[in-house]
């Protein structure tokens, strides 16, 4: 949160940033002195989104910044500035054109992010001074987003199943939550067979981590995150290009951990259970084979059609266990299918839900907090695409049609009809640098879901 600081009353040391656009540039110019207007003309400043102009007083001291913005996109308006403006403290001028200054401040903070575990930051970001209530509102969201980014960006050698469990353990210690963990063959003894099957070939033992927090009398909330710390595809081996970024296949777990942190920090009146099945999908002599049949925790038999459809296998045992707690709401996050990216691209997580009201709430919240999602249907006639001739159903099938939907339909079989359930198939990654969205791990759908939890339980 170092890029945002509290603005003290009467503080005149920070430099004003005035947002403007082509439609308001003339009015902006009229507020400037003659030398500043001449400077704008000489530099060709036209208030295009992403542009900015530094304005000095008669002594040459920087006193104001004009930032060209798209007023409809507050989140991106200031996001490029923290690492491009001179290192100083700034504040947002009241004369600007943005409808949501708080969202612009959030964009500033997200744009200041740098992953510095393995190299020094390029520079220290400039700071934006905001009102105390704005800082209080934004600080948890920024911290949660940075947590997702840090976890996803960390290479698997330093973010394997044990390290992912350690992230949950640190979270539990911070909020005095209870932690439970099943590791290796303990998974079989505790009836988590699909988590064990996916992770048994790795030299790092698979595990299921459970964090519980809150009063037992409060409504139960279960959050599940796919924690495949690296995905080779198993014996159905991925290509080199397909495997290159598979350190990010624990992005669902990163989202779930960050959402749990937000819930606990906000002290929402819920009985929280966080479940992180953490594995590596590796290749070895004991690797899960195509054609195997596994009896899941829920009692369904599943034929392994494809070992690269492993995420739904670890999730199904975790969802079945979560459902046993009879939660008021169960949510899972997963970097589950390439099909969701083909359908919606990298920016829009696919949202599925078995209650229209809950799914509609998340979509609406996504629009409100600039964290968009797109709902896809649980089209049950497509269940036949996962038919098996020797088990109850398969984890995948030969058809390339509706891959995100069939994956969600697979998971739905492990959620009883009387449980309100949301499933987010998210990319958790930015392929290229954009303002406020640096290349690498990204939180997608996190703010939207948290906004719904605040509305429902806050």
């Amino acid at each position: 949160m170092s890029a945002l600081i509290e603005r003290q009353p009467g503080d005149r040391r920070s430099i004003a940033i005035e947002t403007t656009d082509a439609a308001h540039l003339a009015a902006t110019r009229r507020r400037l002195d003659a030398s500043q207007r001449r400077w704008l003309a000489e530099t060709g400043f036209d208030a295009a989104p992403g542009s900015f102009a530094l304005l000095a007083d008669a002594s040459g001291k920087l006193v104001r910044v004009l930032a060209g913005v798209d007023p409809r996109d507050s989140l991106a308006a200031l996001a490029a500035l923290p690492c491009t403006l001179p290192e100083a403290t700034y504040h947002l001028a009241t004369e600007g054109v943005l409808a949501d200054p708080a969202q612009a401040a959030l964009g500033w903070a997200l744009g200041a992010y740098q992953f510095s575990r393995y190299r020094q930051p390029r520079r220290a970001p400039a700071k934006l001074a905001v009102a105390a209530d704005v800082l209080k509102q934004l600080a948890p969201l920024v911290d949660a987003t940075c947590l997702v980014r840090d976890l996803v960006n960390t290479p698997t050698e330093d973010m394997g199943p044990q390290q992912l469990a350690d992230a949950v353990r640190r979270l539990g210690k911070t909020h005095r939550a209870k932690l439970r963990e099943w590791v290796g063959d303990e998974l079989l003894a505790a009836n988590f067979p699909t988590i064990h099957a996916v992770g048994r070939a790795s030299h790092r033992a698979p595990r299921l981590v459970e964090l519980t927090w809150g009063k037992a009398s409060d409504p139960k909330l279960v959050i599940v995150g796919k924690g495949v710390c690296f995905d080779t595809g198993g014996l159905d081996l991925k290509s080199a290009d397909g495997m290159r970024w598979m350190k990010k296949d624990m992005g669902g777990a990163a989202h779930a951990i960050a959402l749990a942190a937000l819930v606990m920090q906000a002290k929402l009146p819920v009985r929280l259970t966080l479940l992180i099945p953490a594995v590596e999908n590796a290749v070895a002599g004991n690797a899960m084979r195509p054609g195997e049949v596994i009896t899941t925790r829920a009692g369904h038999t599943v034929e392994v059609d494809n070992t690269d459809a492993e995420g739904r296998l670890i999730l199904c045992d975790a969802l079945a266990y979560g459902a046993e707690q009879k939660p008021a709401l169960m949510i899972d996050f997963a970097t589950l299918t390439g099909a969701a990216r083909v359908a919606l691209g990298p920016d829009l997580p696919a949202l599925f839900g078995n209650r229209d009201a809950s799914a509609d709430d998340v979509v609406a919240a996504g629009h409100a907090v600039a964290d968009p999602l797109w709902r896809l249907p649980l089209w049950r006639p497509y269940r036949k695409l996962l038919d098996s001739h020797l088990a109850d159903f398969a984890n995948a099938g030969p058809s390339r049609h509706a891959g995100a939907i069939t994956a969600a339909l697979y998971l739905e079989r492990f959620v009883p009809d009387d449980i309100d359930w949301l499933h987010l198939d998210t990319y958790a990654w930015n392929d290229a640098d954009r303002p406020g969205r640096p290349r690498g791990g990204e939180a997608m759908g996190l703010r939207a879901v948290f906004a719904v939890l605040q509305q429902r339980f806050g």
Side-chain angles (χ1 to χ4, degrees):
M1 277 304 297
S2 59
L4 293 182
I5 61 172
E6 182 179 341
R7 190 178 186 197
Q8 301 300 322
D11 183 8
R12 297 177 179 272
R13 292 172 297 176
S14 62
I15 300 164
I17 298 176
E18 180 178 349
T19 59
T20 188
D21 60 6
H24 296 84
L25 181 56
T28 301
R29 289 172 57 89
R30 285 194 291 270
R31 285 191 287 272
L32 307 178
D33 64 32
S35 64
Q36 292 170 337
R37 292 196 297 270
R38 186 165 56 251
W39 174 251
L40 291 186
E42 292 288 344
T43 58
F45 178 74
D46 60 0
S51 64
F52 66 89
L54 304 178
L55 300 178
D57 61 14
S59 68
K61 179 183 177 182
L62 177 62
V63 293
R64 199 169 190 84
V65 177
L66 297 186
V69 301
D70 178 351
R72 299 164 298 181
D73 190 0
S74 294
L75 189 67
L78 308 181
L81 298 182
C83 293
T84 53
L85 290 181
E87 291 182 32
T89 299
Y90 301 82
H91 69 270
L92 199 55
T94 57
E95 300 90 347
V97 299
L98 292 177
D100 193 339
Q103 202 169 92
L106 175 61
W108 175 288
L110 299 182
Y113 173 84
Q114 298 179 70
F115 184 60
S116 57
R117 178 165 180 170
Y118 302 101
R119 66 178 182 185
Q120 292 295 318
R122 298 187 305 274
R123 50 160 285 182
K127 299 181 186 299
L128 185 70
V130 297
D133 60 332
V134 173
L135 185 63
K136 183 178 179 180
Q137 170 194 346
L138 297 183
L141 298 175
V142 176
D143 290 344
T145 300
C146 291
L147 176 60
V148 172
R149 291 173 173 179
D150 285 349
L151 292 173
V152 176
N153 282 331
T154 303
T156 305
E157 186 64 22
D158 294 324
M159 189 51 63
Q162 175 67 62
Q163 290 90 344
L164 197 56
D166 288 343
V168 179
R169 188 170 289 105
R170 288 191 296 272
L171 184 64
K173 185 176 181 180
T174 298
H175 296 281
R176 299 183 179 179
K178 294 181 180 179
L179 202 77
R180 189 178 182 186
E181 190 173 8
W182 297 268
V183 181
D185 289 345
E186 294 174 358
L187 291 164
L188 294 176
N191 194 23
F192 297 108
T194 55
I195 300 173
H196 183 273
V198 172
R200 69 192 184 203
S202 173
H203 65 292
R204 296 195 277 189
R207 63 198 64 219
L208 175 64
V209 188
E210 177 186 36
L211 176 149
T212 55
W213 172 90
K215 296 179 181 177
S217 57
D218 284 336
K220 292 182 174 63
L221 170 65
V222 174
I223 303 172
V224 183
K226 173 188 169 185
V228 178
C229 296
F230 195 84
D231 182 19
T232 66
L235 293 179
D236 288 309
L237 196 67
K238 292 179 181 290
S239 66
D241 287 346
M243 203 187 302
R244 173 61 180 89
W245 298 108
M246 282 299 101
K247 69 175 184 177
K248 77 176 189 66
D249 211 18
M250 39 61 68
H255 280 74
I257 293 167
L259 182 60
L262 285 169
V263 167
M264 291 187 287
Q265 186 164 354
K267 294 182 170 56
L268 294 186
V270 297
R271 176 64 169 178
L272 171 67
T273 297
L274 171 67
L275 298 172
I276 302 296
V279 304
E280 282 189 81
N281 188 20
V283 178
N286 64 337
M288 175 179 64
R289 294 175 289 271
E292 290 185 7
V293 174
I294 305 172
T295 300
T296 66
R297 180 181 186 86
H300 302 305
T301 57
V302 173
E303 182 182 10
V304 180
D305 177 80
N306 192 313
T307 63
D308 197 19
E310 84 299 330
R312 64 198 72 179
L313 291 175
I314 68 168
L315 286 173
C316 74
D317 272 357
L319 288 171
Y321 177 62
E324 293 166 12
Q325 304 182 31
K326 306 292 185 185
L329 178 63
M330 184 157 63
I331 306 166
D332 77 77
F333 292 82
T335 52
L336 203 61
T337 67
R341 310 287 73 77
V342 172
L344 300 176
D347 293 348
L348 282 174
L351 171 68
F352 296 86
N354 62 359
R355 300 286 191 280
D356 288 342
S358 294
D360 291 346
D361 285 347
V362 175
V363 172
H367 287 299
V369 301
D371 190 20
L373 308 94
W374 197 266
R375 189 182 181 190
L376 294 181
L378 288 165
W379 187 249
R380 290 180 180 85
Y382 289 167
R383 279 188 172 187
K384 65 180 181 294
L385 297 176
L386 297 180
D387 282 351
S388 167
H389 74 283
L390 76 163
D392 291 334
F393 46 90
N395 74 326
S399 175
R400 296 175 64 85
H401 292 163
I405 296 175
T406 57
L409 288 170
Y410 174 91
L411 296 179
E412 187 195 27
R413 292 179 188 258
F414 298 86
V415 180
D417 292 339
D418 61 348
I419 292 178
D420 191 352
W421 168 63
L422 294 166
H423 161 59
L424 283 81
D425 188 339
T426 184
Y427 193 41
W429 190 260
N430 294 317
D431 289 318
D433 284 313
R434 287 174 289 171
R437 300 189 63 175
R439 183 182 180 188
E442 186 58 278
M444 297 177 174
L446 177 66
R447 298 195 309 276
V449 173
F450 180 57
V452 169
L453 296 183
Q454 288 178 301
Q455 293 165 9
R456 181 175 297 196
F457 300 113

